[in-house]
């Protein structure tokens, strides 16, 4: 059985509609209208031990809601889920012993205490043997550069430092599964890099299964083989990152340096988008392979050099969301 | 043990609030003097040696003790669980393998212990510079007084926890809470001893856990409650602690159930 099994999982929130004005307020007292928000809408997936999953989606897509169900702090409205054989919300205490959780916007550490004191507290909370605790702490100190602020109260840490401390805290009890909800949100490039390499390290060296939610493509590109993409509560895509590019990468570009100034350079199936002297840039769709285009060109002209440009993954994802390449129905329907 | 660790860290955490501690001691001390002078004026005006079984010295000691216990019993402001629920930070507690109520009781006792020592003791040490106080006559008497104070803090915790849980159901939980805290301040015998209340009110408040939070430990300390009454008083405190704990646990479970089903 897979480590995580999710079948037709949904979470709907009922949000009371707010009527405006005094009359509205009075009417609110007697009858309430609700809007159903389908935060997670009928999604299914399986995750195997040792995977590092990127759970990707824009703000409000339903990422945190999914994580909350997987960690046992939300009961699904429909569908089933099990994590290492447990139903998280039913066996929450048992479940929490085995997992590590970081919600990027919250902290597991105590505001007024030096970092080391909070970490020490976690040792008692998870009943980590002292030896093991020391060993892990030394290891994380090195990987995350904790020494410089171990004795600083959490309230005086920068966001990046706090996140590093929180990550250490989530892993001190050797969980084999961790949920990281937007661990890089609001961080600068350097801090992001540090956290990414740590995540990579615990996944490859310790075999920890990691589920990482993010709306930062950099995280996914650097870390994850498998991407799950969610929007409006629907799972749009679940597969390797390369597949994403192949299916939705849109048009690619070919930059060619010709040996001489040809007056006529147009070619079927590709359009010229730039021309500077002998350097010409073509754009071509997924209908034609790069080699096909190159051989066509080579049969007519003398070519000095060429490069194929893949579209930026960021653009690909933006295109998926903006142009709704993967259809989904409207997510909020009004009901009385 | 995790609860012991929570107790200890919570105590330690208070050290961050050194400035507030010093300011608190000064405020409580001067209000104490003020209240003591009011009692003196009242006793002199009435011409009576005892009011409600309290001598003037008892009444002044009562003032010193209530002022000393303000911070640890935490009469007016404790919103930690309310804020946790309202901000959603409760998720960090829900993803931990400990018992929520017990964990907060441990944290509150750590806080209270700090304040008993650093906000309570100074008041009892410096009050005798201005007035004569009544002191427990024996070590055993001290032990009973401290036990009753500990129980009072624990009951006050259950009461505050109960008030904070309102945040699971009401948007305006803080407004409700302020009212509840105000009621407690009076009914617990903080403002004046319960012994001064008219009979009907005395009867009414004795049906509630309120006097067990302030009035009881002070009367144990003063020796007004002694002999069999002492055992009864401690028994009543334990009864209220157990009952309130069960109530809190029940409501907390309902609240969490609502939270994890409806999503806050
Ligand atoms: N407790 C809640 N009550 C009502 N609506 C909610 C609640 N939690 C989340 N939502 C809504 O559900 C949708 C998904 O939210 P969320 O899972 O937090 O998205 P993400 O983490 O991807 O940004 C959003 O439209 C959000 O407003
Ligand atoms: Mg989120």
């Amino acid at each position: 059985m897979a480590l995580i099994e999710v079948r037709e999982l949904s979470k709907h929130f009922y949000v009371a509609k707010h009527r405006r004005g005094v009359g509205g307020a009075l009417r609110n007292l007697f009858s309430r209208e609700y809007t159903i928000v389908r935060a997670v809408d009928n999604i299914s997936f399986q995750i195997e031990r040792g995977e590092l999953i990127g759970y990707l989606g824009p703000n409000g897509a339903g990422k945190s809601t999914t994580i909350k169900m997987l960690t046992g702090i939300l009961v699904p409205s429909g569908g089933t889920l099990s994590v290492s054989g447990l139903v998280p919300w039913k066996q929450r205490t048992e479940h929490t012993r085995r997992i590590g959780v970081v919600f990027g916007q919250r902290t597991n550490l105590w505001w007024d205490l030096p970092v080391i004191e909070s970490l020490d507290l976690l040792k008692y909370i998870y009943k980590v043997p002292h030896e093991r605790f020391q060993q892990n702490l030394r290891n994380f100190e090195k990987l995350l550069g904790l020494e410089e602020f171990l004795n600083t109260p959490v309230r005086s840490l920068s966001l990046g430092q706090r996140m590093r401390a929180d990550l250490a805290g989530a892993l001190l009890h050797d969980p084999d599964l961790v949920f990281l909800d937007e661990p890089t949100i609001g961080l600068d490039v350097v801090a992001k890099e540090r956290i990414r390499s740590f995540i990579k390290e615990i996944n490859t060296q310790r075999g920890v299964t990691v589920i990482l939610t993010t709306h930062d493509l950099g995280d996914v590109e650097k870390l994850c083989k498998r991407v799950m993409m969610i929007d409006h509560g629907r799972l749009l895509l679940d597969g390797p990152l390369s597949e994403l590019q192949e299916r939705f990468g849109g048009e690619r570009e070919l930059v060619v340096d010709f040996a001489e100034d040809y007056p006529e350079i147009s070619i079927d199936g590709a359009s010229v988008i730039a021309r500077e002297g002998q350097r010409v840039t073509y754009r071509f769709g997924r209908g034609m392979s790069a080699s096909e285009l190159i051989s066509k060109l080579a049969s007519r002209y003398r070519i000095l050099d060429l490069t194929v440009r893949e579209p930026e993954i960021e653009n690909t994802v933006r295109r998926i969301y903006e142009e709704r390449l993967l259809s989904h129905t409207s997510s909020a329907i009004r009901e009385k | 043990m995790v609860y012991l660790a929570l107790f200890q860290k919570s105590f330690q955490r208070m050290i961050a609030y050194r400035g507030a501690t010093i300011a608190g001691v000064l405020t409580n001390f001067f209000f104490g003097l003020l209240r003591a002078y009011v009692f003196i004026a009242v006793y002199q005006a009435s011409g009576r040696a005892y009011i409600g079984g309290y001598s003037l010295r008892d009444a002044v000691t009562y003032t010193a003790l209530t002022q000393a216990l303000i911070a640890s019993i935490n009469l007016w402001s404790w919103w930690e669980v309310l804020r946790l629920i309202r901000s959603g930070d409760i998720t960090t507690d829900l993803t931990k393998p400990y018992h929520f109520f017990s964990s907060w009781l441990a944290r509150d006792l750590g806080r209270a212990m700090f304040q008993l020592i650093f906000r309570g003791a100074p008041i009892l040490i410096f009050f005798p510079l201005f007035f004569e106080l009544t002191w427990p006559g024996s070590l055993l008497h001290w032990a009973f007084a401290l036990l009753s104070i500990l129980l009072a803090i624990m009951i006050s915790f259950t009461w505050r926890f109960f008030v904070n849980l309102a945040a699971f159901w009401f948007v305006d939980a803080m407004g409700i809470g302020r009212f509840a805290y105000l009621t407690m301040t009076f009914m617990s015998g903080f403002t004046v001893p319960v012994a001064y209340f008219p009979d009907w009110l005395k009867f009414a408040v004795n049906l509630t856990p309120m006097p067990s939070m302030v009035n009881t430990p002070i009367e144990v300390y003063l020796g007004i409650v002694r002999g069999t009454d002492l055992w009864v008083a401690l028994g009543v405190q334990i009864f209220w602690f157990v009952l309130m704990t069960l109530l809190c646990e029940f409501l907390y479970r309902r609240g969490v159930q609502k939270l994890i089903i409806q999503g806050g």
Side-chain angles (χ1 to χ4, degrees):
Chain A
M1 202 171 83
L3 180 63
I4 298 181
E5 304 239 11
V6 169
R7 229 168 280 127
E8 291 163 16
L9 188 68
S10 295
K11 182 70 200 178
H12 300 167
F13 294 111
Y14 292 79
V15 183
K17 262 205 257 176
H18 185 79
R19 297 196 191 86
R20 302 239 293 261
V22 179
L26 281 178
R27 278 168 59 213
N28 277 341
L29 279 178
F30 297 106
S31 81
R32 295 219 141 187
E33 271 182 57
Y34 290 92
T35 306
I36 300 184
V37 177
R38 294 174 195 278
V40 170
D41 198 6
N42 204 2
I43 67 178
S44 301
F45 58 82
Q46 294 195 347
I47 290 171
E48 300 293 338
R49 219 165 272 284
E51 285 195 86
L52 202 173
I53 308 275
Y55 197 43
L56 189 68
N59 281 328
K63 304 183 294 295
S64 296
T65 305
T66 313
I67 298 298
K68 284 179 185 167
M69 286 192 278
L70 291 171
T71 49
I73 54 184
L74 270 182
V75 181
S77 317
T80 57
L81 80 163
S82 82
V83 182
S84 46
L86 299 178
V87 178
W89 63 273
K90 275 191 191 152
Q91 292 141 293
R92 194 175 65 233
T93 312
E94 164 113 45
H95 181 53
T96 55
R97 261 189 262 281
R98 307 185 187 180
I99 60 171
V101 189
V102 176
F103 287 103
Q105 276 103 329
R106 309 187 192 283
T107 182
N108 282 311
L109 311 169
W110 283 25
W111 214 237
D112 301 312
L113 287 182
V115 174
I116 184 68
E117 295 292 339
S118 283
L119 297 180
D120 184 61
L121 182 59
L122 290 165
K123 174 176 88 178
Y124 292 98
I125 290 176
Y126 292 103
K127 300 187 172 68
V128 186
H130 186 69
E131 293 285 289
R132 184 63 191 160
F133 174 79
Q134 290 298 338
Q135 205 178 335
N136 277 341
L137 188 62
R138 272 196 298 276
N139 189 222
F140 297 155
E141 266 177 333
K142 212 163 52 215
L143 291 172
L144 289 163
L146 301 180
E147 312 85 359
E148 44 171 314
F149 54 84
L150 263 185
N151 293 305
T152 311
V154 173
R155 80 180 111 76
S156 333
L157 298 184
S158 73
L159 188 58
Q161 291 174 328
R162 206 218 74 207
M163 188 55 70
R164 275 141 72 191
D166 253 309
L167 276 173
L171 284 145
L172 277 172
H173 59 292
D174 291 309
D176 28 62
L177 171 62
V178 291
F179 297 95
L180 308 176
D181 193 9
E182 312 241 16
T184 57
I185 195 162
L187 302 186
D188 64 39
V189 189
V190 181
K192 274 184 185 173
E193 270 317 309
R194 185 146 216 173
I195 281 171
R196 285 170 187 159
S197 64
F198 178 73
I199 294 171
K200 185 123 213 159
E201 173 86 12
I202 56 157
N203 176 252
T204 51
Q205 299 305 309
R206 297 178 166 234
V208 177
T209 310
V210 181
I211 295 169
L212 167 79
T213 83
T214 181
H215 61 261
D216 184 330
L217 268 158
D219 291 343
V220 172
E221 247 178 314
K222 298 250 161 60
L223 293 175
C224 311
K225 290 206 188 74
R226 176 173 166 197
V227 187
M228 299 200 299
M229 197 186 241
I230 185 173
D231 193 18
H232 292 91
R234 295 293 193 90
L235 199 58
L236 301 185
L237 189 110
D238 180 356
L241 198 60
S242 54
E243 186 186 313
L244 186 89
Q245 277 294 46
E246 265 157 42
R247 276 178 65 192
F248 307 103
E251 299 181 317
R252 287 175 293 175
E253 289 168 10
L254 179 70
V255 184
V256 187
D257 287 321
F258 291 114
E260 34 192 297
D261 240 333
Y262 297 107
E264 174 53 51
I265 48 155
S266 63
I267 209 145
D268 277 351
S271 53
V272 177
I273 58 165
R275 178 164 193 176
E276 301 164 31
Q278 285 153 326
R279 170 169 291 191
V280 178
T281 307
Y282 294 93
R283 182 174 286 166
F284 60 107
R286 291 277 161 192
M288 173 158 53
S289 73
S291 62
E292 219 175 311
L293 177 62
I294 293 167
S295 56
K296 268 189 190 173
L297 286 168
S299 66
R300 283 183 224 172
Y301 314 109
R302 260 187 345 110
I303 294 171
L304 295 180
D305 197 8
L306 32 80
T307 12
V308 181
R309 275 204 216 127
E310 284 288 337
E312 296 265 319
I313 181 140
E314 192 132 356
N315 295 336
T316 308
V317 170
R318 189 171 324 117
R319 250 167 47 87
I320 294 179
Y321 289 131
E322 280 173 5
E323 299 172 25
R324 310 210 152 213
L325 295 179
L326 293 153
S327 66
H328 43 69
T329 49
S330 111
S331 59
I333 57 165
R334 280 157 227 295
E335 285 175 28
K336 171 90 177 175
Chain B
M1 199 191 49
V2 56
Y3 302 102
L4 208 61
L6 283 162
F7 171 87
Q8 187 212 323
K9 303 284 177 194
S10 179
F11 184 97
Q12 206 176 334
R13 165 183 174 243
M14 295 303 296
I15 298 167
Y17 299 100
R18 257 170 263 132
T21 303
I22 293 167
V25 168
L26 292 176
T27 315
N28 295 158
F29 190 77
F30 287 112
F31 266 91
L33 295 185
L34 219 66
R35 291 180 65 206
Y37 284 120
V38 171
F39 275 114
I40 291 169
V42 168
Y43 272 74
Q44 281 173 352
S46 76
R48 289 159 60 183
Y50 287 89
I51 299 177
Y54 283 62
S55 68
L56 175 57
R57 190 200 275 202
D58 288 343
V60 170
T61 307
Y62 159 90
T63 312
L65 278 173
T66 46
Q67 292 299 117
L69 290 175
I70 280 185
S72 42
I73 293 182
N74 209 330
L75 287 166
W76 293 308
S77 57
W78 188 80
W79 304 107
E80 297 208 32
V81 168
L82 178 141
R83 290 210 188 92
L84 211 61
I85 297 167
R86 196 193 269 175
S87 67
D89 280 344
I90 194 170
T91 51
T92 58
D93 276 303
L94 294 179
T95 53
K96 298 277 161 32
Y98 49 56
H99 185 248
F100 186 81
F101 175 88
S102 312
S103 83
W104 277 98
L105 177 61
R107 279 177 257 195
D108 195 58
L109 287 176
R111 177 202 60 74
M113 187 58 72
F114 179 93
Q115 291 184 319
L116 208 54
I117 297 170
F118 294 101
R119 292 219 14 209
I123 291 180
L124 286 189
I125 290 169
F126 292 108
F127 234 70
L129 295 179
F130 293 81
F131 309 103
E132 268 188 44
L133 300 183
T134 310
W135 300 95
S138 66
L139 222 56
L140 188 67
H141 192 169
W142 267 110
F144 277 121
L146 287 174
L147 175 63
S148 185
I149 288 171
L150 176 68
L151 284 166
I153 292 169
M154 285 162 61
I155 300 164
S156 100
F157 169 76
T158 62
W159 167 247
R160 286 176 276 125
F161 187 89
F162 169 77
V163 167
N164 277 240
L165 288 184
F168 276 126
W169 294 277
F170 306 108
V171 181
D172 187 29
M174 209 150 179
I176 301 170
R178 285 221 177 82
F179 177 73
Y181 283 164
L182 204 69
T183 321
M184 162 169 149
T185 307
F186 181 70
M187 302 234 292
S188 64
F190 174 81
T191 325
V192 294
V194 172
Y196 290 11
F197 289 8
D199 284 341
W200 64 271
L201 187 59
K202 211 184 294 178
F203 177 77
V205 299
N206 277 324
L207 296 176
T208 72
M210 305 293 165
S212 291
M213 300 179 206
V214 176
N215 201 71
T216 306
I218 291 176
E219 295 200 338
V220 169
Y221 177 98
L222 290 174
I224 290 174
V225 171
R226 63 172 98 84
T228 345
D229 287 351
L230 174 61
W231 294 105
V232 172
L234 293 175
V236 168
Q237 282 190 304
I238 291 169
F239 166 79
W240 281 119
F241 175 69
V242 172
L243 193 72
M244 288 293 291
T245 298
L246 293 175
L247 178 68
C248 286
E249 182 65 18
F250 173 75
L251 286 176
Y252 169 75
R253 286 192 190 180
R254 301 275 308 242
V256 165
Q257 206 59 20
K258 174 177 151 13
L259 183 80
I260 69 178
I261 289 171
Q262 295 180 9

